[in-house]
Amino acid sequence: MANTGSAISFGLVNIPIVYNPVIKNNDTSFNQLHKKCMNRIRYQKYCDHCKKIVKDADLIKGYEYEKGEYVTFSKEELTNLQVDAKDSIEIVSFVPESEIDSYYYEKSYILTAPKKSKAYSLFLEALKKSKKVAVAKTALTSKFYYVLLRYFEGNILMSTMYFEEEVNIPDATSESKFSKQELDLAMQLIEHLSDHFKPETYHDDYQNQIKDAIEKKINGKPVPKKAKKKQRPMKDLISSLQKSLES
């Protein structure tokens, strides 16, 4: 969604913005091949009842409300049901950021002004001074969202949010009793492993190993097998904590 335009609706003030995704997908993309001939596999939409391949123009969407019973919707019907918020980000309230649990956050975008804008600069400074975040509603592609707008390093950061009904937090497990010695050792281990958050030191080891293996295969070199780490059985909590500190 890079360089897609929209506008923040701040009361009667209209602030043009451009979406800039914060996160890019780092995963290596693979294609499925037929092992026998190395041809790439293609997916086709096939109807078991009519015994034929179906074109996209002949498809409709259906909701199964009972086994084998559907109500159907055309593309036009679904389009008519979409919330009219695609070209705007309408602010509905301002709230303290501390009241929002982190699990509500989904994807984030930096909202920049397409050109110098007094309205953008004013709203950015107001966000910074208020120390609050704006709750707004919008639509990205065909999905409706509530989003949060907040000041972030001289830009507006917009984060899409999960709805309450999408969040599934299990009940807390019953607590088991532990000794003061066990707690003291656990606290020592935390202290021993404590550091500052440095995101540049965390690397995607799995993707790096895939890229290295691809390079090896291209150059006709074997990909070495990696020995699996064996989990050592825990005899008792205190001795495991003590050994963790020693190591």
Side-chain angles (χ1 to χ4, degrees), residues 93-108:
S93 65
F94 290 86
V95 301
E97 189 174 3
S98 59
E99 293 182 359
I100 305 163
D101 289 311
S102 59
Y103 53 73
Y104 281 108
Y105 293 106
E106 191 191 19
K107 292 181 180 177
S108 294

Side-chain angles (χ1 to χ4, degrees), residues 184-198 201-202 240-247:
D184 288 343
L185 286 168
M187 295 303 294
Q188 287 178 46
L189 186 55
I190 289 174
E191 184 62 32
H192 181 71
L193 295 172
S194 292
D195 200 353
H196 293 286
F197 181 63
K198 303 168 190 170
T201 64
Y202 307 131
S240 294
L241 287 166
Q242 287 173 333
K243 286 179 180 178
S244 299
L245 283 167
E246 289 166 6
S247 63

Side-chain angles (χ1 to χ4, degrees), residues 163-178:
F163 290 99
E164 179 69 25
E165 56 265 30
E166 293 179 293
V167 176
N168 180 31
I169 306 292
D171 294 333
T173 54
S174 57
E175 292 186 3
S176 298
K177 290 185 178 181
F178 46 81

Side-chain angles (χ1 to χ4, degrees), residues 27-42:
D27 292 349
T28 302
S29 180
F30 287 98
N31 294 316
Q32 288 193 324
L33 308 176
H34 185 190
K35 188 177 180 180
K36 182 179 179 181
C37 64
M38 296 299 289
N39 238 21
R40 187 171 169 181
I41 298 300
R42 304 290 178 184

Side-chain angles (χ1 to χ4, degrees), residues 10 37 43 50 53 71 89 107 131 152 162 181 214 234:
F10 179 37
C37 64
Y43 290 97
C50 298
I53 295 167
V71 287
I89 303 168
K107 292 181 180 177
K131 296 182 180 178
F152 179 75
Y162 292 109
Q181 184 185 6
I214 289 171
M234 187 175 73

Side-chain angles (χ1 to χ4, degrees), residues 205-224:
D205 294 338
Y206 176 59
Q207 289 300 321
N208 289 341
Q209 287 181 71
I210 285 179
K211 288 167 186 172
D212 181 60
I214 289 171
E215 197 66 32
K216 280 185 168 64
K217 281 181 173 283
I218 290 171
N219 293 314
K221 297 179 181 177
V223 178

Side-chain angles (χ1 to χ4, degrees), residues 57-170:
D58 296 322
L59 297 176
I60 56 174
K61 291 194 175 183
Y63 175 79
E64 189 176 26
Y65 63 94
E66 287 181 9
K67 184 69 174 176
E69 297 291 331
Y70 295 88
V71 287
T72 61
F73 291 86
S74 66
K75 187 177 180 180
E76 290 72 25
E77 286 176 319
L78 289 173
T79 299
N80 287 334
L81 293 173
Q82 289 177 8
V83 178
D84 188 19
K86 192 171 183 181
D87 298 319
S88 68
I89 303 168
E90 183 185 344
I91 294 171
V92 295
S93 65
F94 290 86
V95 301
E97 189 174 3
S98 59
E99 293 182 359
I100 305 163
D101 289 311
S102 59
Y103 53 73
Y104 281 108
Y105 293 106
E106 191 191 19
K107 292 181 180 177
S108 294
Y109 303 83
I110 292 290
L111 306 185
T112 57
K115 57 183 179 179
K116 283 189 177 181
S117 166
K118 184 190 289 188
Y120 179 93
S121 299
L122 175 65
F123 180 68
L124 183 66
E125 186 63 21
L127 272 180
K128 183 180 179 182
K129 285 209 164 209
S130 70
K131 296 182 180 178
K132 290 188 176 182
V133 294
V135 179
K137 54 185 179 181
T138 190
L140 300 176
T141 59
S142 61
K143 187 172 179 183
F144 174 77
Y145 285 99
Y146 272 92
V147 297
L148 292 175
L149 308 179
R150 60 188 186 274
Y151 176 90
F152 179 75
E153 296 184 0
N155 289 298
I156 297 170
L157 181 67
M158 183 185 86
S159 299
T160 56
M161 296 177 64
Y162 292 109
F163 290 99
E164 179 69 25
E165 56 265 30
E166 293 179 293
V167 176
N168 180 31
I169 306 292

